[in-house]
Amino acid sequence: MTNKIKPVSFIPRFFGAFGQFFKYMGSGDYAARCQTVDQGEQFAFEVEPKVITEEVEVIREIEVAAPVLDTVNADGAHQLLQLLQQEARFIDFIQESIDDYSDADVGAASRQIHAGCSKVLKQHFTIDVVSLDAVNSAAENSRVEVPSGYDSKQIKLEGRVEGDGPYSGTLIHPGWKVTETRLPKVTNTESLNILAPAEIEV
């Protein structure tokens, strides 16, 4: 919607001409604006708004659902938690509130927990980066190509994903996967849910 300028009648125009004369002479900016109007230019509020119509392509975002397990091996999970507790006191650290500890105290404790957790992982698992041609030899933050028909369990695309590929993007994280498991075999699983026995000094 535009506004129209209403014409000025003769009498106001006659007396206004004297004021406009001195204003024109005293202001270069005002004179320049008057010249622009004299050349037929319109003010912004006189111009019809321009309607821009643009077709926008629908962008499809791929969401990878969390894996759903048909069965759960609770014994294996309990065994791993036992090992993490034995070597790193992992359960102690997670179960205890750290709100009252300083950052220095938490940092010092984290070193011991990190060393213990690292020992458990190296001793009982072989973990490698996701072994795909697209990301196997690439460094983080480098550009990689992901072919169409890629395995969505091994590669997760983030951001705006259009079409079916191939895709080009920045490698944020190379991913991890277990290539070998060496957990000790347990013959009696009756009390594996006891992650650490209560300790009583007598």
Side-chain angles (χ1 to χ4, degrees), residues 8-22:
V8 180
S9 60
F10 176 75
I11 297 300
R13 205 166 62 237
F14 177 78
F15 289 105
F18 292 99
Q20 295 299 320
F21 171 77
F22 292 106

Side-chain angles (χ1 to χ4, degrees), residues 68-86:
V68 179
L69 303 178
D70 293 331
T71 60
V72 176
N73 186 346
D75 291 342
H78 293 161
Q79 185 185 24
L80 179 59
L81 290 174
Q82 281 187 355
L83 293 170
L84 291 173
Q85 170 64 17
Q86 291 170 10

Side-chain angles (χ1 to χ4, degrees), residues 52 63 69 86 93 110 113 117 150 167 171 191 200-201:
I52 300 175
E63 293 186 2
L69 303 178
Q86 291 170 10
F93 180 76
S110 297
I113 296 168
C117 291
Y150 68 96
Y167 304 97
L171 179 64
S191 57
I200 301 174
E201 182 178 358

Side-chain angles (χ1 to χ4, degrees), residues 168-186:
S168 177
T170 301
L171 179 64
I172 304 301
H173 190 282
W176 298 114
K177 70 176 182 180
V178 176
T179 57
E180 185 179 357
T181 302
R182 298 178 295 275
L183 286 171
K185 294 182 179 179
V186 179

Side-chain angles (χ1 to χ4, degrees), residues 82-137:
Q82 281 187 355
L83 293 170
L84 291 173
Q85 170 64 17
Q86 291 170 10
E87 297 293 344
R89 302 190 73 84
F90 179 76
I91 307 300
D92 292 347
F93 180 76
I94 297 300
Q95 290 292 90
E96 185 173 352
S97 172
I98 61 174
D99 293 342
D100 296 332
Y101 292 95
S102 67
D103 291 345
D105 291 336
V106 175
S110 297
R111 286 186 178 279
Q112 299 179 0
I113 296 168
H114 178 274
C117 291
S118 177
K119 178 181 177 182
V120 170
L121 292 183
K122 290 178 179 177
Q123 187 173 355
H124 301 289
F125 301 94
T126 298
I127 299 176
D128 294 324
V129 297
V130 173
S131 180
L132 294 174
D133 292 339
V135 301
N136 194 31
S137 58

